[in-house]
Amino acid sequence: MENTRRIAALLLVAPLTLAGCDNTTGETGTEASPNAFHSDEYGIGLAYDNHQAHAVTETSGYFGDPAWRLDAETDAPGDRLLVLRLNDSDEILTGELRLGVSRDPGQLERCTRPGPLATSSKTGTTELDGALFTTYRGGDAAMNHFQNLRAYRAVHHGTCYAIDLVLQGTNPEVYDPPREAPFSREEGFARLEALLQGLAFDEKPRGRS
């Protein structure tokens, strides 16, 4: 019941945070359309505004459909819970928030270590709803395609929580005439980071002591 009230409160607060961001029409102040995801098993929820992003069942593009976290091995044990895609994404630039989890001992041990896509060993920290996340940046590029990553990793309630903020797309100069991206990379990451304001953890996930 307590978590239900917290998610309901975030449904009111998170859209207000996003209201100042550009939406699919390029306007600001559009009336919010709240939605929410919640996993009882893993004790995590995310409230978000449908005018900013929508849930999708799979990812696509040049770099394929990754494992439960972007920089995990293909067969690494874990579950992808949610993918939110910015509404005005296209083949030139797509922005996604990906949420994955694992309780596998090996994945827990290496949870907060920068993965193979990290562009530097430098890490930072940030707190999201009481959980301390390790952050780092990474990316990949090949054949006029690119992928930029801002990774958030935390061990909380015996679970490795992995949040990937991903921008990926194609070099617009390969088109004739060249095309424009629907938003800048700076704006894309700002909008994805704003979605994190809707994150909430249960006090005690199912099956956890």
Side-chain angles (χ1 to χ4, degrees):
M1 180 64 71
E2 177 65 24
N3 189 70
T4 301
R5 289 196 294 267
R6 294 178 66 232
I7 290 291
L10 283 166
L11 281 169
L12 297 175
V13 174
L16 294 177
T17 303
L18 292 166
C21 300
D22 290 343
N23 54 38
T24 55
T25 63
E27 300 172 352
T28 58
T30 303
E31 183 180 354
S33 178
N35 204 342
F37 160 84
H38 184 261
S39 168
D40 288 334
E41 180 178 1
Y42 291 103
I44 190 169
L46 182 65
Y48 62 95
D49 178 5
N50 281 343
H51 285 134
Q52 289 295 328
H54 61 283
V56 296
T57 57
E58 61 183 20
T59 61
S60 59
Y62 180 84
F63 296 95
D65 199 36
W68 68 276
R69 57 183 268 185
L70 187 64
D71 49 8
E73 302 84 359
T74 302
D75 58 351
D79 296 304
R80 180 193 292 160
L81 299 184
L82 177 69
V83 177
L84 293 181
R85 182 174 296 160
L86 296 180
N87 287 342
D88 44 347
S89 296
D90 62 16
E91 64 271 22
I92 303 300
L93 185 58
T94 293
E96 292 179 343
L97 181 155
R98 304 173 184 175
L99 169 63
V101 294
S102 180
R103 289 177 177 154
D104 174 76
Q107 299 301 308
L108 285 168
E109 182 181 359
R110 63 178 68 97
C111 180
T112 59
R113 300 176 192 167
L117 293 180
T119 51
S120 170
S121 59
K122 181 180 180 181
T123 62
T125 57
T126 190
E127 187 175 306
L128 298 175
D129 195 40
L132 187 64
F133 281 77
T134 296
T135 62
Y136 60 89
R137 298 189 180 191
D140 198 1
M143 301 294 291
N144 284 307
H145 294 81
F146 66 88
Q147 188 175 66
N148 298 141
L149 166 69
R150 293 188 182 178
Y152 293 71
R153 307 285 185 259
V155 176
H156 189 60
H157 288 314
T159 303
C160 175
Y161 294 93
I163 301 172
D164 294 320
L165 305 186
V166 182
L167 291 181
Q168 62 184 19
T170 307
N171 179 1
E173 299 299 322
V174 303
Y175 292 88
D176 187 18
R179 294 178 57 182
E180 291 188 10
F183 44 83
S184 70
R185 298 191 197 186
E186 180 180 359
E187 178 192 340
F189 274 126
R191 292 168 61 186
L192 291 172
E193 288 170 351
L195 291 171
L196 294 175
Q197 300 301 313
L199 189 75
F201 289 100
D202 294 4
E203 291 188 4
K204 185 182 294 186
R206 181 182 298 174
R208 301 284 95 178
S209 58

